[in-house]
Amino acid sequence: LFRRARCVLAGNAWLAEAAHTGGAQRVERFPTVVDTARFTPAPASETFTIGWIGSPSTTPMLDTIAPLLAEERVTLVGADPARVAFDAEVLSWSYDTEVAAVQRFSVGILPQAKSEWERGKCALKALLYMACGVPCVATPWGAVCDMINDGENGLLADSEEAWRAAFARLRDPAERQRMGAAARATVEKRYALEAAAPRLTEILEDIA
């Protein structure tokens, strides 16, 4: 399939390498993007809330830091309640409410297993948080490593101690605001739908 394609759009570096290895004639790095006119920052909540947005199938990723989350106020959007091993507010996902839900988060999290499956994903969770000016704490694996500069526009955590330290650091409203603003700027510059749409048009016109 790669060899027959005129062009492959790869959402991250790992996928781009897979396409090259598979014999693709032309590979364009084309990351997942966010509608920055829709996902926007909102006034910060006074209550420190750790948030996650995902799907029932990705709920088990939360198990990697479940003991820490059991100590925090947590809101989960789209999770399978039956697979959540700690007390949390679990909200159903809907298109109409997802933006407001993310805007309520003080911190967004992206824990993940270090598997080939996860490496191929494009870290949409992180982009949604960042577009809303919410700093993301993530496992340093896959596409998220291209998005987050540790300590600048988010935090990377690879152990229980690192996750705990990240939460402690982001309890400071000023630190959250600083990282959140930098995160929003990153999305506007590199992951915005507004910029991606004309680039996609150019690629398709060139292929045609």
Side-chain angles (χ1 to χ4, degrees):
L1 189 61
F2 284 151
R3 287 194 298 270
R4 295 186 63 176
R6 293 285 299 277
C7 179
V8 175
L9 300 181
N12 62 43
W14 186 82
L15 294 173
E17 181 59 31
H20 280 299
T21 301
Q25 302 175 49
R26 173 179 174 183
V27 179
E28 296 282 349
R29 284 282 301 278
F30 200 90
T32 295
V33 294
V34 176
D35 184 351
T36 51
R38 182 167 174 261
F39 284 86
T40 59
S45 170
E46 294 183 2
T47 303
F48 184 76
T49 302
I50 294 172
W52 176 91
I53 187 169
S55 65
S57 66
T58 56
T59 304
M61 291 298 100
L62 295 165
D63 292 343
T64 59
I65 56 168
L68 296 182
L69 296 178
E71 303 170 2
E72 303 286 350
R73 178 187 178 92
V74 179
T75 295
L76 308 175
V77 180
D80 179 354
R83 303 173 81 174
V84 177
F86 49 90
D87 289 335
E89 176 186 32
V90 181
L91 305 176
S92 298
W93 177 89
S94 83
Y95 179 84
D96 293 333
T97 61
E98 64 172 347
V99 175
V102 173
Q103 289 173 336
R104 290 175 50 200
F105 300 166
S106 305
V107 176
I109 57 172
L110 200 168
Q112 54 185 337
K114 291 186 175 181
S115 69
E116 296 297 276
W117 174 261
E118 296 297 326
R119 181 177 277 169
K121 297 181 71 174
C122 295
L124 177 59
K125 291 177 179 62
L127 293 176
L128 297 183
Y129 307 146
M130 295 166 72
C132 289
V134 175
C136 176
V137 182
T139 305
W141 185 251
V144 75
C145 295
D146 294 330
M147 300 171 183
I148 295 178
N149 294 322
D150 190 35
E152 296 180 19
N153 60 355
L155 293 170
L156 299 174
D158 207 17
S159 66
E160 180 176 328
E161 294 77 13
W163 278 94
R164 192 180 299 278
F167 292 161
R169 180 172 177 177
L170 291 171
R171 289 184 195 281
D172 179 355
E175 188 72 343
R176 290 202 304 274
Q177 196 282 327
R178 180 186 69 80
M179 282 194 202
R184 170 72 184 186
T186 297
V187 175
E188 289 177 329
K189 182 178 180 180
R190 297 170 51 197
Y191 302 99
L193 175 64
E194 183 179 20
R199 180 175 172 232
L200 178 59
T201 301
E202 290 176 2
I203 292 171
L204 296 178
E205 288 178 343
D206 186 47
I207 294 169

